[in-house]
């Protein structure tokens, strides 16, 4: 549970070896490029525009994934999943294969363009079919209505509500024949034959009724034309299927394409590293952040690659800027994702993750409070982590919930809750203990004449203890910086005062006036010392004003402690909902109704508890995080840090074997 000391390393080498040396730095996984600003160079470094784009590669991947889903044939090889391993040597030499991969990308993009073109043709056919469908009631060929030497024919549509009126008007013209052939939707199909000498009068009349002339002159009927178009569309659909299959056969290239994207990202990192370095005609100078403990390994790797490289390094003081690299065991490191969602710790600050991990899991266990839920959290969390890429936020968060599941199992046994079932209360000794101290509703305690649930007091006690621990963390941070006086009076004194207060309340509730009497005086004395010395590090009149502010600050302590009542509220709500689904509905109402009632009851138990588990997990994470960020971090935590990001570490799809 620590933040690694960082050193600043300067690397001087030959320009023609820079690319290889950057590869070496990437292979160490321990060097973050920093901007080289404190030197003057004979040859100023110009910013490079040589930044490669991975847009086309991503488009090809998206098309491969689309094709696989569109075909729905799980026998086909799927697109490579993210998080596959690639050897470091293979990755660094991937440039030798880029031409091959780019050929595959271009072929996939060509298939994508062909697919889009055929799809557009099918859409166009569909629009054409829609036009002919207006004339589907016409049995004759369209060419049947062609004009003759002395007559002219009008074929088209009018609104159905105007069809009678237009026909009556046409019948009023001598030697004009009209017929309503049929109705299609809101339109009627109208055919009109007139002498050519009457064409102008007929056309004028038809235009008044918004007559839409038929644009088709095919030597076939509408149905025949629609059948022909449908046949063409079917042929186009076959071509689409062939394109999809051809693309799906290239799914085997997807791993190379994803590696290519990460490799392009790495090349761009190196380009930016060159921009941040300085150079002369023949040499370059790069500065990097390196964990002090990795200095030897980085220097050895560089000198193994080139005999013409010179390095120099010096540790970075904790009061200066450096990127943050936390050094924790595997379990605690998973909780870094929770801290980083708030803010990464500053380089010179204290790493809170070891202590925070315990309290986060503890409070999640209290909120869930069910052994069945805890078991599901453990199984589901570790299964999700196993299917996720190591080190990702999803991987770490899944494991965080799994760790909380162990505490949920423990509190489930304490609260006698197993998916809402009560299994332990038939044991007389446990039943007596449960009724007296655990039952979240019936178990009561009295303090200063006020009766409150015992479970609520336990939650407030846990919260007070966490606040006391946060003050110890503050003291430790002050001691590391040599601020001994502030660490003692702003941290330890207040922490001991809160712990003494916890014991005082405990014995007061228990009714032990003797021990309570002994604890009252040191508790008051510690709070008094804390208030009177609150301005000990201030100057001038601030020493006095700080005292009044500290006395008023006791109200803040009270409100912060009461914030932990949310643990009790969420635990009680989850327990009651689980009991309603399991005991009230399933066991109480459905099970007595026979076989079908038992089946329905089991369904209610499973569905209801899954819903309750999902809602509880959401509430547990949000409120648990809030307690860590506000009540715990608020007294000592220094964030706004920048996480250590070594060159070559920003990989989206692969990890190094």
């Amino acid at each position: 549970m620590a933040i690694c000391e960082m050193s600043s390393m300067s690397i001087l080498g030959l320009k023609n070896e820079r690319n290889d040396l950057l590869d070496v730095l990437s292979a160490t996984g321990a060097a973050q490029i920093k901007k080289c600003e404190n030197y003057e160079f004979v040859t100023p470094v110009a910013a490079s525009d040589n930044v490669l784009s991975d847009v086309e590669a991503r488009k090809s991947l998206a098309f491969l994934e689309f094709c696989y889903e569109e075909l729905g044939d799980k026998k086909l090889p799927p697109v490579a999943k993210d998080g596959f391993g690639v050897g470091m040597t293979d990755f660094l030499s991937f440039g030798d294969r880029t031409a091959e991969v780019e050929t595959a990308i271009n072929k996939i993009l060509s298939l994508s363009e062909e697919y889009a073109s055929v799809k557009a043709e099918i859409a166009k056919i569909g629009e054409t079919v829609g036009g002919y469908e207006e004339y589907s009631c016409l049995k004759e060929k369209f060419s049947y209505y062609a004009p003759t030497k002395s007559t002219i024919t009008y074929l088209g549509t009018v609104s159905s509500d105007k069809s009678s009126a237009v026909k009556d008007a046409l019948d009023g013209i001598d030697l004009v024949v009209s017929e309503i052939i049929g109705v299609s939707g809101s339109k009627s199909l109208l055919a009109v034959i007139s002498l050519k000498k009457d064409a102008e009068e007929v056309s004028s009349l038809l235009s008044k009724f918004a007559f839409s002339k038929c644009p088709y002159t095919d030597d076939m009927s509408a149905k025949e034309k629609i059948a022909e178009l449908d046949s063409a569309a079917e042929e186009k659909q076959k071509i689409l299927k062939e394109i999809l299959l051809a693309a799906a056969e290239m799914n085997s290239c997807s791993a190379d394409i994803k590696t290519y994207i990460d490799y392009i990202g790495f090349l761009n990192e190196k380009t930016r590293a060159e921009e941040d370095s300085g150079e002369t005609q023949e040499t370059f100078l790069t500065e990097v952040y390196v964990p002090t403990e990795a200095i030897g390994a980085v220097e050895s790797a560089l000198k193994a690659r080139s005999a013409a490289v010179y390095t120099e390094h010096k540790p970075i003081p904790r009061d200066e800027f450096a990127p943050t690299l936390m050094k924790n065991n595997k379990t605690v490191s998973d909780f870094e994702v929770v801290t980083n969602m708030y803010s990464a710790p500053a380089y010179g600050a204290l790493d809170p993750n070891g202590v925070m991990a315990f309290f986060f899991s503890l409070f999640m266990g209290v909120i869930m409070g069910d052994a069945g839920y805890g078991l599901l959290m453990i199984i589901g969390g570790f299964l999700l982590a196993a299917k996720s890429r190591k080190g990702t936020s999803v991987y770490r968060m899944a494991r965080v919930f799994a760790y909380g599941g162990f505490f949920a199992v423990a509190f489930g046994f304490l609260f006698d809750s197993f998916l809402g079932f009560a299994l332990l209360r038939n044991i007389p000794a446990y039943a007596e203990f449960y009724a007296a101290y655990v039952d979240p509703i019936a178990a009561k305690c009295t303090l200063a004449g006020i009766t409150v649930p015992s479970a609520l007091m336990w939650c407030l006690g846990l919260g007070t203890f966490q606040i006391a621990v946060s003050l110890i963390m503050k003291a430790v941070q002050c001691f590391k910086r040599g601020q001994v006086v502030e660490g003692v009076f702003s941290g330890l004194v207040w922490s001991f005062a809160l712990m003494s207060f916890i014991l005082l309340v405990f014995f007061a509730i228990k009714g032990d006036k003797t021990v309570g009497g002994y604890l009252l005086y040191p508790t008051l004395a510690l709070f008094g010392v804390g208030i009177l010395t609150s301005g000990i590090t201030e100057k001038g009149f601030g020493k006095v004003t700080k005292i009044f502010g500290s006395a008023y600050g006791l109200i803040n302590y009270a409100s912060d402690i009461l914030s932990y009542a949310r643990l009790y509220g969420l635990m009680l709500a989850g327990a009651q909902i689980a009991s309603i689904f399991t005991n009230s509905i399933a066991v109480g109402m459905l099970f007595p109704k026979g076989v079908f009632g038992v089946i329905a009851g089991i369904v209610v138990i499973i569905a209801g508890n899954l819903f309750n588990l999902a809602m509880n997990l959401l509430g547990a994470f949000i409120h648990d995080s809030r307690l860590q960020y506000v009540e715990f971090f608020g007294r000592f935590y220094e964030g706004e840090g920048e996480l250590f990001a070594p060159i070559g570490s920003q990989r989206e799809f692969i990890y190094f074997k």
Side-chain angles (χ1 to χ4, degrees):
M1 189 183 77
I3 294 176
C4 292
E5 181 186 58
M6 285 286 166
S7 289
S8 176
M9 176 184 283
S10 300
I11 303 169
L12 181 65
L14 298 175
K15 280 175 64 175
N16 59 9
E17 293 182 339
R18 175 162 52 188
N19 187 64
D20 290 341
L21 292 175
L22 288 174
D23 285 348
V24 170
L25 289 176
S26 175
T28 65
Q32 177 178 327
I33 304 296
K34 61 181 291 192
K35 195 167 186 65
C36 191
E37 296 178 319
N38 299 322
Y39 301 90
E40 293 184 5
F41 299 95
V42 175
T43 305
V45 183
S48 172
D49 294 327
N50 185 28
V51 177
L52 301 176
S53 173
D54 58 11
V55 174
E56 301 301 311
R58 292 182 185 276
K59 285 182 181 178
S60 68
L61 274 180
F63 185 65
L64 289 181
E65 290 170 353
F66 166 78
C67 293
Y68 184 72
E69 294 298 325
E70 192 75 7
L71 287 169
D73 187 352
K74 301 308 176 185
K75 294 179 181 179
L76 293 169
V79 177
K81 293 182 178 180
D82 298 351
F84 54 91
V86 175
M88 173 66 76
T89 303
D90 292 337
F91 182 77
L92 294 178
S93 62
F94 195 78
D96 298 335
R97 298 190 55 216
T98 53
E100 170 193 342
V101 177
E102 286 168 356
T103 299
I105 291 171
N106 289 330
K107 184 175 180 181
I108 295 168
L109 291 176
S110 177
L111 289 171
S112 175
E113 291 172 2
E114 186 179 353
Y115 181 89
S117 176
V118 175
K119 196 76 173 175
E121 291 175 11
I122 292 174
K124 189 174 182 180
I125 290 173
E127 292 176 3
T128 306
V129 168
Y132 277 101
E133 282 178 344
E134 288 187 348
Y135 300 92
S136 58
C137 58
L138 184 66
K139 296 180 180 179
E140 296 83 4
K141 299 176 181 180
F142 289 103
S143 58
Y144 178 80
Y145 294 90
T148 65
K149 185 176 181 180
S150 58
T151 65
I152 188 168
T153 304
Y154 300 89
L155 178 67
T157 59
V158 294
S159 177
S160 294
D161 58 354
K162 297 178 182 179
S163 59
S164 297
V166 69
K167 188 174 188 315
D168 291 341
L170 289 167
D171 289 345
I173 303 175
D174 290 339
L175 301 176
V176 172
V177 179
S178 64
E179 181 183 357
I180 303 296
I181 298 174
V183 178
S184 177
S186 62
K187 294 185 177 182
S188 295
L189 181 59
L190 175 66
V192 182
I193 301 176
S194 75
L195 296 174
K196 287 187 175 180
K197 68 182 183 64
D198 298 322
E200 185 175 345
E201 182 181 1
V202 172
S203 296
S204 176
L205 177 64
L206 289 174
S207 64
K208 291 180 181 179
F209 288 92
F211 175 78
S212 178
K213 187 176 180 180
C214 175
Y216 307 120
T217 59
D218 305 86
D219 193 25
M220 61 178 66
S221 68
K223 288 186 177 180
E224 290 172 338
K225 187 64 179 180
I226 290 172
E228 180 185 82
L229 290 170
D230 286 343
S231 177
E234 287 178 9
E235 292 298 320
K236 297 292 184 183
Q237 289 290 352
K238 290 178 182 178
I239 296 173
L240 281 185
K241 183 71 175 292
E242 292 172 0
I243 295 172
L244 291 173
L245 287 170
E249 288 177 1
M250 299 193 70
N251 283 354
S252 57
C253 301
S254 57
D256 285 340
I257 295 173
K258 290 188 173 185
T259 306
Y260 174 86
I261 292 173
D262 279 342
Y263 184 73
I264 291 297
F266 174 57
L267 293 182
N268 289 334
E269 273 193 88
K270 290 201 291 185
T271 298
R272 291 190 292 271
E274 291 178 9
E275 293 172 0
D276 289 338
S277 67
E279 61 182 46
T280 65
Q281 196 69 32
E282 299 294 338
T283 65
F284 77 96
L285 176 67
T286 292
E287 290 192 329
V288 295
Y289 293 109
V290 179
T292 300
E293 62 187 37
I295 287 289
V298 173
E299 287 185 329
S300 298
L302 289 170
K303 290 176 180 178
R305 175 61 186 83
S306 172
V309 64
Y310 171 79
T311 62
E312 189 178 87
H313 61 85
K314 61 179 180 179
I316 301 174
R318 292 290 182 174
D319 58 353
E320 295 182 11
F321 171 80
T324 301
L325 175 63
M326 289 168 275
K327 186 178 181 180
N328 294 302
N329 61 41
K330 186 176 181 180
T331 299
V332 173
S333 66
D334 290 327
F335 286 86
E336 292 173 8
V337 68
V338 179
T339 299
N340 294 341
M341 286 175 65
Y342 177 72
S343 177
Y347 171 63
L350 194 66
D351 180 5
N353 287 290
V355 178
M356 186 275 292
F358 169 75
F359 282 112
F360 192 91
S361 299
L362 175 69
F363 294 160
M364 184 168 284
V366 172
I367 292 172
M368 301 307 294
D370 187 283
Y373 291 175
L375 188 60
L376 290 173
M377 289 167 65
I378 294 169
I379 296 172
F382 284 127
L383 280 178
L384 178 58
K387 293 183 178 181
S388 303
R389 188 171 61 169
K390 290 184 178 180
T392 61
S393 295
V394 173
Y395 172 85
R396 290 184 168 187
M397 194 62 72
R399 290 172 64 87
V400 165
F401 280 109
Y403 298 138
F406 288 105
F407 284 84
V409 170
F411 281 104
F413 275 90
L414 177 63
F415 298 144
D416 189 21
S417 181
F418 302 83
L419 294 180
F421 287 106
L423 304 179
L424 303 178
R425 288 172 223 177
N426 295 325
I427 304 172
Y430 175 81
E432 183 179 348
F433 169 77
Y434 180 85
Y437 302 107
V438 178
D439 191 317
I441 298 176
K444 306 285 186 180
C445 64
T446 302
L447 178 66
I450 302 174
T451 301
V452 295
S454 297
L456 173 60
M457 292 304 296
W458 284 113
C459 291
L460 296 180
L462 287 174
T464 307
F465 178 67
Q466 188 187 31
I467 293 174
V469 172
S470 73
L471 291 165
I472 292 176
M473 300 281 281
K474 179 179 181 179
V476 171
Q477 187 156 267
C478 289
F479 294 155
K480 289 178 66 177
R481 294 173 176 173
Q483 301 166 339
V484 178
V485 174
E486 185 175 352
V488 170
F489 292 104
S490 297
L492 293 183
V493 168
W494 285 98
S495 178
F496 293 156
L498 289 175
M499 291 185 185
S500 181
F501 177 70
I502 294 172
L503 294 174
L504 176 63
V505 172
F506 174 77
F507 284 104
I509 292 173
K510 192 177 179 182
D512 192 330
K513 295 182 179 180
T514 303
V515 178
Y518 287 131
L519 286 168
L520 177 62
Y521 299 107
T523 302
L524 293 175
L526 286 166
F527 277 118
V529 170
I531 292 171
L532 293 173
T533 60
S534 58
I536 197 169
T537 58
E538 299 293 325
K539 294 181 180 180
F541 194 62
K543 292 181 180 293
V544 179
T545 57
K546 192 75 173 179
I547 293 174
F548 293 102
S550 182
Y552 181 77
L554 290 175
I555 297 174
N556 292 333
Y557 276 106
S559 65
D560 289 345
I561 291 170
L562 288 174
S563 291
Y564 290 86
R566 71 186 67 235
L567 297 176
Y568 171 74
L570 291 167
M571 177 267 292
L572 183 61
Q576 289 302 305
I577 293 173
S579 181
I580 288 171
F581 282 122
T582 300
N583 297 314
S584 301
I585 299 178
V587 176
M589 297 171 58
L590 297 175
F591 280 10
K593 297 186 181 296
V595 176
F596 291 106
V598 171
I599 295 172
I602 292 173
V603 172
V604 167
I605 290 172
I606 294 172
N609 279 287
L610 286 176
F611 167 78
N612 194 33
L613 173 63
M615 295 302 294
N616 271 16
L617 282 175
L618 179 62
F621 177 75
I622 292 173
H623 291 282
D624 197 349
S625 297
R626 189 242 179 233
L627 290 174
Q628 309 307 319
Y629 297 158
V630 179
E631 269 62 54
F632 187 55
F633 285 178
R635 286 175 173 79
F636 73 94
Y637 186 66
E638 296 178 3
E640 303 301 325
E642 179 185 301
L643 290 175
F644 180 62
I647 182 172
S649 64
Q650 308 305 305
R651 298 181 296 275
E652 184 177 350
F653 299 109
I654 70 169
Y655 68 88
F656 289 146
K657 292 181 181 178

